[in-house]
Amino acid sequence: MALGLAAKKAIVKEVNEVASKALSVAVAEYRGMEVADMTVLRRQAREQGVYLKVIRNTLARRAFVDTQFEDMDPALKGPLVYGFSLDAPGSAARLFKDFSKDNKHLKVTALSIGNGLMGADKLEAVASLPTRDEALAKLLATFKAPVSKFVRTINEVPTKFVRVLAAIKDAK
């Protein structure tokens, strides 16, 4: 069914707003996927905080104007599903990577994190980016490591002294 001009403008506006807030976008070709599989993909996207949208590529080009994803034009060919990561930069890539393991019809064609178009070969690297919570946990562990090593070192001095005293006592 053909969309009217007002509906197309509404779609472009909606996607533009999401793209301007998104941390990254992943684009995948879904040719041959069944409706049930797409429903499962949409459900997983909602659970992981990924905005998923199937729109015409011409509308996507217009929606990407004045956003950090303007350079996506060369990759917008074929029937595509767009996944926008809103919480963590690797969310959409991780979603598509995990889903494509079980569904051979979903093929990632391009990724973009900020300015810079990346091919599908970078999917693994982008999908392995830590979430915000994981990154904070690693940062805190890095801050905590020197302090805990210092405390262990300070604690070893009296421990060794007590061991020496116990060895002298046992020797006598």
Side-chain angles (χ1 to χ4, degrees):
M1 186 165 92
L3 293 174
L5 183 60
K8 289 179 183 179
K9 285 183 179 182
I11 290 171
V12 168
K13 182 181 179 197
E14 176 187 350
V15 173
N16 183 279
E17 289 172 358
V18 171
S20 60
K21 293 182 218 168
L23 301 172
S24 69
V25 65
V27 180
E29 188 173 312
Y30 64 94
R31 186 174 295 162
M33 273 183 65
E34 295 182 9
V35 174
D37 294 333
M38 187 60 87
T39 304
V40 170
L41 179 64
R42 286 189 169 121
R43 184 179 319 117
Q44 290 176 358
R46 274 191 303 274
E47 291 169 357
Q48 296 179 20
V50 175
Y51 177 84
L52 205 64
K53 189 78 170 173
V54 175
I55 58 172
R56 297 179 67 180
N57 295 331
T58 53
L59 296 179
R61 282 186 186 91
R62 291 177 190 234
F64 289 159
V65 172
D66 295 332
T67 67
Q68 58 187 348
F69 306 117
E70 280 184 298
D71 56 353
M72 292 288 291
D73 280 350
L76 305 182
K77 294 181 177 107
L80 299 175
V81 59
Y82 298 84
F84 295 92
S85 299
L86 302 174
D87 298 332
S91 299
R94 195 173 309 112
L95 171 72
F96 286 163
K97 178 185 157 219
D98 293 342
F99 192 79
S100 65
K101 288 178 185 175
D102 298 331
N103 192 317
K104 64 181 190 253
H105 296 294
L106 187 72
K107 295 180 183 82
V108 176
T109 58
L111 304 159
S112 179
I113 298 178
N115 291 329
L117 178 66
M118 294 181 268
D121 56 329
K122 302 288 186 200
L123 177 68
E124 185 66 36
V126 175
S128 65
L129 288 173
T131 63
R132 182 178 188 275
D133 293 336
E134 291 170 348
L136 287 175
K138 288 179 183 180
L139 180 66
L140 289 176
T142 304
F143 285 152
K144 182 183 167 199
V147 174
S148 61
K149 286 182 182 180
F150 177 70
V151 169
R152 277 196 301 261
T153 303
I154 295 296
N155 194 28
E156 281 297 315
V157 173
T159 305
K160 284 186 179 183
F161 180 69
V162 170
R163 285 185 197 144
V164 169
L165 289 179
I168 291 173
K169 178 184 164 202
D170 291 343
K172 290 184 181 185

